[in-house]
Amino acid sequence: MDTTTEHNVRTVETRDELDDVLATADRVLVMVRTAGCAICKSMEPILDIAAKATDATVVVFNPKADLDVVDAFDVRSVPTFLLFADGELLDRRADGFVPAEDLIEFVENGSA
């Protein structure tokens, strides 16, 4: 089930949905999260800001149904932020809460 927020933050629930986004969008920021993650929940308004401030497609993904994503993208903690361009993984962050300015810089410059 693919849902979208006011600022185009999309929630995808399967690897197929994630792959569809990666195949159709030029630049994609993915936040890998779990349902019980308090930091992930606190990042939701920050994701809205990043979606509004950048031209990236912003996606929230809980890999519970597709655990191969955990291995494929080397997810060791949540939230993990994955930055893709043209379907290729450019960069990643896995350092907990990220302020809006830092997340926007990460999306625009592809570096932590």
Side-chain angles (χ1 to χ4, degrees):
M1 182 176 99
D2 185 347
T3 61
T4 306
T5 68
E6 175 185 353
H7 296 295
N8 296 321
V9 175
R10 299 172 63 176
T11 299
V12 296
E13 295 182 358
T14 68
R15 174 69 185 265
D16 287 341
E17 289 175 359
L18 178 60
D19 288 344
D20 287 345
V21 173
L22 296 176
T24 58
D26 295 333
R27 195 164 193 84
V28 180
L29 174 67
V30 178
M31 180 177 77
V32 180
R33 66 164 299 157
T34 59
C37 171
I39 294 173
C40 301
K41 183 76 172 158
S42 70
M43 285 301 304
E44 289 176 3
I46 304 299
L47 290 176
D48 279 340
I49 292 167
K52 187 176 181 181
T54 69
D55 61 356
T57 299
V58 180
V59 175
V60 175
F61 179 63
N62 182 342
K64 68 180 175 185
D66 288 294
L67 292 177
D68 69 308
V69 171
V70 172
D71 287 331
F73 298 121
D74 195 31
V75 175
R76 300 290 173 233
S77 62
V78 290
T80 293
F81 298 94
L82 305 171
L83 181 63
F84 294 86
D86 300 319
E88 298 295 321
L89 181 63
L90 287 182
D91 208 346
R92 58 184 301 110
R93 284 185 77 145
D95 47 1
F97 184 86
V98 180
E101 298 81 18
D102 292 353
L103 192 60
I104 291 166
E105 182 177 337
F106 175 72
V107 170
E108 291 177 344
N109 300 322
S111 60

